[in-house]
Amino acid sequence: MEQSKINGFRKGLIISIVGLIVLFFIVGTVGFWSLKPMLSKRLKSAVLESTDSLYYLDFKDINYQIITGQADILAVTWRVDTNRYERLKKAKKMPDNIYQGKVNGIKLAGLHPWTIFFSKKLNISTITIKDPNLDISHEKQIYNSFKTAKSPYQIISKFVKSFSVKKIIFENIYIAYTSHQKPKMPHVSRIENLDLEVSDLLIDSTSDKDKNRFYYTKECIFGLKKIEIPSEDSLNTIKVNELLFSTKTRSISMKNLVLQPRFKEMEYSVHTNGDDRIGIQFNNIKLEEIDIEKLFEEKKIYARNLNINHGKVTVFTDTRTFNVPPKSPYRPFPHEAFKNWSLKFMIDTIKIRDFDITYSEYNPETKSVGNVLFKKVVGNIHNFTNDTITLKNNSHCLVILKGSLMNKAPITLHFNFDLLAPKGDFLFTGNVAKMQMPALNQVTESLGFAKAEKGFLTDYTCHIKGDRYAINGSATMLYQDLNITILKKGEEKGLKKRKLLSFFANAFVIKDSNPIGKQPVRVATIKYQRIPTKPFFYTLWKSILSSITKSVME
C-alpha cells in the first residue's frame, strides 16, 4: 500500500514537472510572440533614454527560442536624430563622437530571461555580430573636458544590476572614422575586414576597478587581413598580410609588412625630385609590452620591444640633377622627418634579425647602378621615439648593426642620432675587416670609373660627426697590394679600360699599401659639404667614398 502511494507520488511529481515544462514552453513561446511588440518598444526606448534621445534604434525582427536560449535580431540600424543633434550642439551637450551604423544580424546564445526577472542580471553566453558597418564622426568639444562621462554601469543600472557575456565575436567589421579637428579639411580613416573577439565582458558596480580587465573585458583580440594604407603623399603604400593584437598579452604581431613605392626607381625620383626610394619587407614583426592606456587614451604607441625577424630593405638614390627645387632648402634627414610625425611613439628597443639591406645609386655618367649589399644583418635600435616628453629625458637614438659587406667581409655600423638637435646632428662609426678589394668592383665601376685588379683590405674604420649641412671626421684604411684600372665610357655600351692612365695612376698616384713599410699609418681627413638637395644615405656614402679616395692617394 505504502509502495503504491510512493509510486503514485513519483508518477504525479513526474507528470507535474513535465506539465510545468510544457506549460512554461507554451507560455514562454506564446508569451514571447505576444510580448514582441512590447520588447521591441522597450529596446528602442532604452536606447533613446540612455543616449539623451540622440540615437534611434531600429531592426527588422527578433526571433527567440526559449528552450535553447538563442535569439536573432535581424537588420539592425542606429542613426542620429538630426533635430536632437542640433539642439544638443547649441546647448553644448554634444559628445565628442557620433556613431551611426548597421548590422546584418546579431545572434545571441545562452540568453535566459528568468535571470533578469529573478535577479536583475543579464547573462549571455555568446554574441555574434556579422558584417557591422560603423561610421564615427569625431569633433573634440572643449566643454566635454570639464565633464565626467557616465560609466557603462551607470547607464545599464537603470535596467539590470549586471551584464555579462562570455564571448562576443565581431566578424568583418567596417569602420569609417572622420576627424573634424580641422573643420575645412576633415580627415577620413577606414578599416576594413576587421575581426574582433571579446572574452569575459562584465559590467557591474565593481568591474571597472578590476586591474586585470581592459574596458571591462578579460581580453580583446583584434585581427586584420590584407591591409593596404596609402601614405599621405600617395607615393608609397603600406601593406600587411595579417595583424593580431591582444590586450591580454599586450602585443601586436604582423606577418609580411611591406612598404611599397608606387613608382619604379627612376620614375620615383622624378616624382620626388630625387628623394631616396625606400622599399621594406618585414616577414615577421612582434611589438611587445604595449602601454594599453597610452594607446587607447592618448593615441600613442609605447612599447618595450619590437622584434623584426627576416626581411629586406632597399634604398635607391638617383644622382641626376633635377630642375625643380625641393620644398625646403635642405632635405630633412630620416631622424628629422619622423620627429614631425603626428603619431607619437616610444619603443625602448627594436631587435633586428636576419636582414638584407641594399643601397643602390644611379650614376648618369656611366648610366648604370652600383649596389652596396649588406647581408645577414642583425642589431638593435635603442630609444626609438618622437615624443617630446620622453626626449627630454633622453634625446639620443642609438643604432647598432652587424652584418656582411657584399657577403664577403664582416661590417659593424654605429649611429647616434640626436633627436632634439636643431641641425639634425648625428655621430657615425663604421668598420670593415678582411676583404678582397675586387669584391667592390661592381660599385666602383658604376660610381667611380675604376676597379681593383687586386688588393686586400685588412681594416677600414671611420669616425664621423655630421649634421644637415656638413660631415667631418677621419678614417683609417689598412690595405696591401692595391692595383687599379681606370675606366671610361665605351663607344657602345659598357666601360673600356684606360691602360696608359691606369699605368701612370698605379705608378705615381695610387699608394699600393697602408702603411708602406715602416712609415706611419696614413689617416684620411673627412670634410664633406652636403649638397642641400641630396638625401641622408647619399650624403653619408659620398663622405665615406671621399675618405677611401684620400686613403689611397694622399
mmCIF file of all heavy atoms in Angstrom, residues 130-144:
data_model
loop_
_atom_site.group_PDB
_atom_site.id
_atom_site.type_symbol
_atom_site.label_atom_id
_atom_site.label_comp_id
_atom_site.label_asym_id
_atom_site.label_seq_id
_atom_site.Cartn_x
_atom_site.Cartn_y
_atom_site.Cartn_z
ATOM 1 N N LYS A 130 27.661 39.956 -37.245
ATOM 2 C CA LYS A 130 28.239 39.787 -38.575
ATOM 3 C C LYS A 130 28.115 41.063 -39.402
ATOM 4 O O LYS A 130 27.088 41.717 -39.416
ATOM 5 C CB LYS A 130 27.542 38.634 -39.305
ATOM 6 C CG LYS A 130 27.837 37.261 -38.711
ATOM 7 C CD LYS A 130 27.275 36.155 -39.581
ATOM 8 C CE LYS A 130 27.667 34.783 -39.033
ATOM 9 N NZ LYS A 130 27.165 33.692 -39.892
ATOM 10 N N ASP A 131 29.204 41.370 -40.075
ATOM 11 C CA ASP A 131 29.265 42.480 -41.035
ATOM 12 C C ASP A 131 28.786 43.809 -40.462
ATOM 13 O O ASP A 131 27.963 44.499 -41.087
ATOM 14 C CB ASP A 131 28.445 42.134 -42.280
ATOM 15 C CG ASP A 131 28.911 40.854 -42.945
ATOM 16 O OD1 ASP A 131 30.130 40.670 -43.041
ATOM 17 O OD2 ASP A 131 28.053 40.060 -43.367
ATOM 18 N N PRO A 132 29.289 44.213 -39.296
ATOM 19 C CA PRO A 132 28.907 45.540 -38.787
ATOM 20 C C PRO A 132 29.562 46.645 -39.609
ATOM 21 O O PRO A 132 30.737 46.561 -39.976
ATOM 22 C CB PRO A 132 29.424 45.540 -37.349
ATOM 23 C CG PRO A 132 30.527 44.539 -37.343
ATOM 24 C CD PRO A 132 30.177 43.502 -38.365
ATOM 25 N N ASN A 133 28.786 47.670 -39.897
ATOM 26 C CA ASN A 133 29.257 48.819 -40.667
ATOM 27 C C ASN A 133 29.084 50.056 -39.799
ATOM 28 O O ASN A 133 27.965 50.441 -39.470
ATOM 29 C CB ASN A 133 28.440 48.938 -41.948
ATOM 30 C CG ASN A 133 29.024 49.942 -42.915
ATOM 31 O OD1 ASN A 133 29.331 51.062 -42.539
ATOM 32 N ND2 ASN A 133 29.164 49.543 -44.174
ATOM 33 N N LEU A 134 30.198 50.669 -39.403
ATOM 34 C CA LEU A 134 30.156 51.737 -38.413
ATOM 35 C C LEU A 134 30.806 53.003 -38.949
ATOM 36 O O LEU A 134 31.930 52.976 -39.465
ATOM 37 C CB LEU A 134 30.881 51.295 -37.132
ATOM 38 C CG LEU A 134 30.908 52.261 -35.954
ATOM 39 C CD1 LEU A 134 29.504 52.550 -35.457
ATOM 40 C CD2 LEU A 134 31.766 51.697 -34.823
ATOM 41 N N ASP A 135 30.092 54.128 -38.830
ATOM 42 C CA ASP A 135 30.634 55.443 -39.169
ATOM 43 C C ASP A 135 30.797 56.250 -37.888
ATOM 44 O O ASP A 135 29.830 56.444 -37.144
ATOM 45 C CB ASP A 135 29.699 56.190 -40.117
ATOM 46 C CG ASP A 135 29.699 55.593 -41.507
ATOM 47 O OD1 ASP A 135 30.779 55.539 -42.114
ATOM 48 O OD2 ASP A 135 28.626 55.166 -41.971
ATOM 49 N N ILE A 136 32.012 56.715 -37.644
ATOM 50 C CA ILE A 136 32.311 57.502 -36.445
ATOM 51 C C ILE A 136 32.745 58.896 -36.880
ATOM 52 O O ILE A 136 33.657 59.049 -37.689
ATOM 53 C CB ILE A 136 33.418 56.854 -35.597
ATOM 54 C CG1 ILE A 136 33.060 55.412 -35.236
ATOM 55 C CG2 ILE A 136 33.667 57.664 -34.331
ATOM 56 C CD1 ILE A 136 34.188 54.656 -34.570
ATOM 57 N N SER A 137 32.085 59.893 -36.346
ATOM 58 C CA SER A 137 32.453 61.282 -36.625
ATOM 59 C C SER A 137 32.986 61.895 -35.334
ATOM 60 O O SER A 137 32.285 61.959 -34.324
ATOM 61 C CB SER A 137 31.227 62.056 -37.123
ATOM 62 O OG SER A 137 31.556 63.405 -37.363
ATOM 63 N N HIS A 138 34.255 62.315 -35.371
ATOM 64 C CA HIS A 138 34.908 62.848 -34.163
ATOM 65 C C HIS A 138 35.133 64.346 -34.301
ATOM 66 O O HIS A 138 35.714 64.816 -35.279
ATOM 67 C CB HIS A 138 36.251 62.154 -33.927
ATOM 68 C CG HIS A 138 37.024 62.750 -32.787
ATOM 69 N ND1 HIS A 138 36.750 62.460 -31.477
ATOM 70 C CD2 HIS A 138 38.058 63.639 -32.773
ATOM 71 C CE1 HIS A 138 37.580 63.138 -30.701
ATOM 72 N NE2 HIS A 138 38.377 63.856 -31.464
ATOM 73 N N GLU A 139 34.657 65.074 -33.303
ATOM 74 C CA GLU A 139 34.916 66.511 -33.210
ATOM 75 C C GLU A 139 35.048 66.866 -31.738
ATOM 76 O O GLU A 139 34.082 66.787 -30.981
ATOM 77 C CB GLU A 139 33.786 67.313 -33.848
ATOM 78 C CG GLU A 139 34.061 68.812 -33.902
ATOM 79 C CD GLU A 139 32.999 69.579 -34.650
ATOM 80 O OE1 GLU A 139 32.042 68.956 -35.159
ATOM 81 O OE2 GLU A 139 33.130 70.817 -34.732
ATOM 82 N N LYS A 140 36.263 67.202 -31.333
ATOM 83 C CA LYS A 140 36.527 67.485 -29.930
ATOM 84 C C LYS A 140 35.752 68.719 -29.479
ATOM 85 O O LYS A 140 35.870 69.795 -30.055
ATOM 86 C CB LYS A 140 38.029 67.707 -29.719
ATOM 87 C CG LYS A 140 38.427 67.964 -28.283
ATOM 88 C CD LYS A 140 38.231 66.740 -27.402
ATOM 89 C CE LYS A 140 38.701 66.984 -25.986
ATOM 90 N NZ LYS A 140 38.412 65.834 -25.117
ATOM 91 N N GLN A 141 34.944 68.507 -28.423
ATOM 92 C CA GLN A 141 34.184 69.612 -27.832
ATOM 93 C C GLN A 141 34.888 70.035 -26.544
ATOM 94 O O GLN A 141 35.065 69.222 -25.630
ATOM 95 C CB GLN A 141 32.741 69.179 -27.524
ATOM 96 C CG GLN A 141 32.028 68.508 -28.684
ATOM 97 C CD GLN A 141 31.814 69.435 -29.868
ATOM 98 O OE1 GLN A 141 31.847 70.663 -29.734
ATOM 99 N NE2 GLN A 141 31.604 68.862 -31.044
ATOM 100 N N ILE A 142 35.320 71.274 -26.483
ATOM 101 C CA ILE A 142 36.117 71.743 -25.342
ATOM 102 C C ILE A 142 35.360 71.563 -24.032
ATOM 103 O O ILE A 142 35.935 71.179 -23.010
ATOM 104 C CB ILE A 142 36.521 73.216 -25.527
ATOM 105 C CG1 ILE A 142 37.402 73.356 -26.777
ATOM 106 C CG2 ILE A 142 37.245 73.752 -24.304
ATOM 107 C CD1 ILE A 142 37.757 74.784 -27.125
ATOM 108 N N TYR A 143 34.060 71.800 -24.042
ATOM 109 C CA TYR A 143 33.296 71.739 -22.795
ATOM 110 C C TYR A 143 33.238 70.323 -22.221
ATOM 111 O O TYR A 143 33.018 70.140 -21.027
ATOM 112 C CB TYR A 143 31.879 72.281 -22.987
ATOM 113 C CG TYR A 143 31.145 71.760 -24.198
ATOM 114 C CD1 TYR A 143 30.550 70.510 -24.208
ATOM 115 C CD2 TYR A 143 31.039 72.555 -25.336
ATOM 116 C CE1 TYR A 143 29.867 70.045 -25.323
ATOM 117 C CE2 TYR A 143 30.359 72.099 -26.462
ATOM 118 C CZ TYR A 143 29.775 70.841 -26.451
ATOM 119 O OH TYR A 143 29.103 70.387 -27.552
ATOM 120 N N ASN A 144 33.488 69.293 -23.045
ATOM 121 C CA ASN A 144 33.477 67.921 -22.531
ATOM 122 C C ASN A 144 34.696 67.617 -21.670
ATOM 123 O O ASN A 144 34.695 66.659 -20.905
ATOM 124 C CB ASN A 144 33.400 66.922 -23.684
ATOM 125 C CG ASN A 144 32.013 66.845 -24.276
ATOM 126 O OD1 ASN A 144 31.023 67.105 -23.591
ATOM 127 N ND2 ASN A 144 31.922 66.493 -25.553
#
